[in-house]
Each structure stands twice: as C-alpha cells, then as structure tokens.
Amino acid sequence: TAVVNFDDLNPATTASVIAKSDSGGFALEQNAGSLRFGVHANGSYHYASVPMTAFNGTDSYFIIGAYDGNGAVRLWVNNAERTPSIAVTGGVTQNNSPVVIGADPQGATDRRFFFKGKVQQVAVQKWRDH
C-alpha cells in the first residue's frame, strides 16, 4: 500500500513510487500515461493499471497493489478496484534488490526512475501460504 500525491502526472520516463523490481519482485510505478502495479512471475511482469487521468496534482491517493499467486495482479485506488492483469499463477520471482521508495533499484546500491511527488506512507506485506 502507499499514500501518494503526484507532482508530475505525465513523466517523460517511468517513475517508481515503490519498487523491488530488477528482473523480479514488484513495482508500483507511473508508465506511459498510467499508474500500474506489477509483479514478476513466470519470466515476465504482469500489471494491473489505471490511467493517470484519474489523478490530479492536489489530492493524495490511497493505493493498494496485490497478487495472491493464483489469479491476477490487482490495483485499488481509494478503495475502488481498477483494471486487473490477465490471469496469472505462480510465485513472484525473487531477487536480491532492496525495496526502494521513490525510485527503481538497480542491484543493491544503484537507483533510477525517480518519482516526482510525495510518498506519504508505504507498507509492504507478504502473506504466508494458507
């Protein structure tokens, strides 16, 4: 989850709100006119998304991205579900990159795709199998 206020609604490149990507993991990011949450499973990223036209530069938004390993990647904005990914099954690809707030990790120490806005709160949770 994240609470976010966007300063740039149309960045020229990808802008990561929170990410543990780097050929694995997950990312909540702006990309090509949309906000998307993706996970890397079965060799590629799978995304749920919402167009950036749903946001403004004034309000803060409560965003939830989720994947349960058997169904689809999902995204909620202010408790309204947006467009989920296609059907996906399988675990998230693991990597050694850290979780980074406001950028995309490139290995343990490098960063790119910096976010322009205010990240007011984040939480990352992993559920055990049940």
Side-chain angles (χ1 to χ4, degrees), residues 16 18-29 36-47 65-67 69 73 88 90-100 104-105 124-126:
S16 293
I18 181 170
K20 185 187 170 23
S21 44
D22 200 10
S23 299
F26 65 89
L28 175 64
E29 61 192 12
R36 65 187 189 177
F37 174 72
V39 298
H40 193 278
N42 300 319
S44 63
Y45 282 97
H46 305 275
Y47 295 97
Y67 173 62
V73 178
V88 182
V92 176
T93 306
Q94 299 299 306
N95 64 27
N96 291 324
S97 294
V99 174
V100 176
D104 179 69
V124 177
Q125 184 170 358
K126 178 180 177 183

Side-chain angles (χ1 to χ4, degrees), residues 29-128:
E29 61 192 12
Q30 289 176 269
N31 182 273
S34 68
L35 178 72
R36 65 187 189 177
F37 174 72
V39 298
H40 193 278
N42 300 319
S44 63
Y45 282 97
H46 305 275
Y47 295 97
S49 64
V50 58
M52 285 305 298
T53 56
F55 303 98
N56 62 53
T58 304
D59 297 325
S60 293
Y61 298 91
F62 179 62
I63 301 165
I64 301 169
Y67 173 62
D68 69 0
N70 186 18
V73 178
R74 300 194 180 277
L75 178 68
W76 290 263
V77 176
N78 291 343
N79 296 318
E81 186 173 8
R82 300 308 189 134
T83 306
S85 71
I86 60 169
V88 182
T89 59
V92 176
T93 306
Q94 299 299 306
N95 64 27
N96 291 324
S97 294
V99 174
V100 176
I101 299 168
D104 179 69
Q106 293 294 287
T109 59
D110 290 336
R111 307 290 178 262
R112 65 178 184 170
F113 301 148
F114 296 95
F115 175 70
K116 293 180 182 172
K118 298 160 195 75
V119 181
Q120 299 163 316
Q121 173 271 324
V122 296
V124 177
Q125 184 170 358
K126 178 180 177 183
W127 294 96
R128 65 176 179 77

